[in-house]
Amino acid sequence: MSMLSRMSRGEIMFQFAAMTVIVALCISVLYPFVHVLSVSLSTPEEALRPGIHLYPKHFSMSSYKQSFQTNGIWVGYFNTLFRTVVGTFLSLVVMTLGAYALSKKYLPHRHFYTMLIVLTMFFSGGLIPTFLLIKSIGLYDTRWALIIPGLINTFYMIIMRNFFMELPQELEDSAKIDGANDIQILGRIVVPISKPILATIGLWMAVYHWNEWFHALIYIQDQSKIVLQILLRRLIVENDDMQMRELMAQASEDEVVSESVKAAVLMIATIPILVVYPFIQKYFVKGIMIGSLKG
């Protein structure tokens, strides 16, 4: 007997309504991506055509070729990759150390420390005091200003703490009997079996660093340190004519137009972070289920 035949009429109607909503949401999410991709791969005449673009009727890679010939793209790529890789790695290291310590019941005043850390989720010093702090400690106009202020995400660290609390204590007890210290237990036992939560938090942090632009806007003045998202913002949000002229300096109007170049830069900034997800998908579903706040 099939599953559908065992369902009541109400259950069938609910499943149909749920699938309809899910399909509609998927279309609403996918269409802008498909539209931008189609425009970026179209000839100038096709890119300027109003209406829906589901596929490039006249294929052209000129906008991508022109975008990659610009030094600003490569500078932004390097700074964004540096921020994403280094920032994500350091965040995982620091949050893992903090979460592992908070997960131990024998840690003195553990609940007090946890409360103080959770408190930072609701209160902060504010933008101006933070800016003055960054400037006073010498991080202003450096790449570290994009990494250190966001090194710890309180919510993510609490999720990691809860994951560590669920691990069998017997694993650590047996390691201690064999003479392992806390650092060895963390590095050789806890971290290898915590791949789901580390992969999930790592993805979240990588997406944050890749897409974040506000810190670069207020902390970075040197144009050799700007991130890719600042370049994208100048082209699309601020409609920076100077930046667009630089991108189109070596191309004629017959090869590219501003709309296709903007679409190409948008895809260049979007695709790399999408490529990361398939490699950690097997950990993501399991890792994301961890995380109610425990004492």
Side-chain angles (χ1 to χ4, degrees), residues 92 95-96 98-100 102-103 114 117-118 121 152-167 190 194-202 204-205 283-295:
L92 285 177
M95 288 193 292
T96 299
Y100 181 71
L102 292 175
S103 68
T114 303
I117 292 173
V118 172
M121 295 175 60
I152 295 178
N153 184 293
T154 304
F155 179 68
Y156 296 166
M157 191 168 75
I158 294 299
I159 293 177
M160 295 177 68
R161 163 189 174 269
N162 296 339
F163 184 91
F164 292 151
M165 291 176 64
E166 296 295 327
L167 298 178
V190 175
S194 301
K195 289 181 180 179
I197 191 64
L198 293 177
T200 303
I201 300 299
W204 289 343
M205 291 304 300
Y283 303 114
F284 189 75
V285 175
K286 182 178 179 181
I288 202 173
M289 299 301 293
I290 309 298
S292 60
L293 185 60
K294 298 182 179 179

Side-chain angles (χ1 to χ4, degrees), residues 231-240 262-263 265-266:
L231 176 63
L232 187 64
R233 184 176 186 273
R234 289 174 180 173
L235 288 175
I236 297 178
V237 179
E238 299 177 0
N239 199 21
D240 192 329
K262 290 179 181 180
V265 175
L266 184 59

Side-chain angles (χ1 to χ4, degrees), residues 71-295:
N71 291 332
I73 293 292
W74 294 109
V75 170
Y77 244 121
F78 172 79
N79 293 322
T80 301
L81 285 173
F82 177 85
R83 177 183 181 175
T84 302
V85 174
V86 176
T88 301
F89 174 76
L90 292 179
S91 292
L92 285 177
V93 171
V94 173
M95 288 193 292
T96 299
L97 293 174
Y100 181 71
L102 292 175
S103 68
K104 298 304 161 188
K105 296 181 179 180
Y106 55 78
L107 176 69
H109 311 296
R110 180 171 68 104
H111 295 286
F112 176 72
Y113 295 143
T114 303
M115 182 188 68
L116 287 180
I117 292 173
V118 172
L119 198 64
T120 63
M121 295 175 60
F122 307 100
F123 302 98
S124 66
L127 178 60
I128 295 178
T130 302
F131 177 84
L132 295 176
L133 175 63
I134 294 298
K135 194 169 184 178
S136 64
I137 62 179
L139 294 180
Y140 183 74
D141 206 17
T142 68
R143 293 185 179 92
W144 297 109
L146 309 179
I147 296 175
I148 294 180
L151 202 59
I152 295 178
N153 184 293
T154 304
F155 179 68
Y156 296 166
M157 191 168 75
I158 294 299
I159 293 177
M160 295 177 68
R161 163 189 174 269
N162 296 339
F163 184 91
F164 292 151
M165 291 176 64
E166 296 295 327
L167 298 178
Q169 184 61 36
E170 292 77 9
L171 291 174
E172 299 188 25
D173 293 339
S174 61
K176 289 182 179 179
I177 293 175
D178 293 334
N181 56 36
D182 289 333
I183 298 298
Q184 291 173 328
I185 293 173
L186 176 61
R188 298 182 180 181
I189 297 177
V190 175
V191 170
I193 63 178
S194 301
K195 289 181 180 179
I197 191 64
L198 293 177
T200 303
I201 300 299
L203 175 65
W204 289 343
M205 291 304 300
V207 171
Y208 160 75
H209 281 295
W210 187 271
N211 291 327
E212 208 278 334
W213 57 270
F214 186 67
H215 285 169
L217 182 66
I218 62 176
Y219 295 143
I220 301 298
Q221 294 294 322
D222 188 351
Q223 294 304 300
S224 65
K225 299 173 184 176
I226 63 169
V227 295
L228 190 60
Q229 303 304 328
I230 290 293
L231 176 63
L232 187 64
R233 184 176 186 273
R234 289 174 180 173
L235 288 175
I236 297 178
V237 179
E238 299 177 0
N239 199 21
D240 192 329
D241 292 335
M242 183 178 297
Q243 195 74 60
M244 182 57 68
R245 284 197 299 268
E246 180 185 352
L247 283 171
M248 302 181 65
Q250 300 177 0
S252 64
E253 294 183 358
D254 296 334
E255 294 177 335
V256 294
V257 291
S258 60
E259 284 72 14
S260 62
V261 172
K262 290 179 181 180
V265 175
L266 184 59
M267 295 307 301
I268 290 171
T270 303
I271 290 178
I273 199 65
L274 295 178
V275 175
V276 176
Y277 178 75
F279 294 99
I280 61 175
Q281 183 179 8
K282 60 180 179 181
Y283 303 114
F284 189 75
V285 175
K286 182 178 179 181
I288 202 173
M289 299 301 293
I290 309 298
S292 60
L293 185 60
K294 298 182 179 179

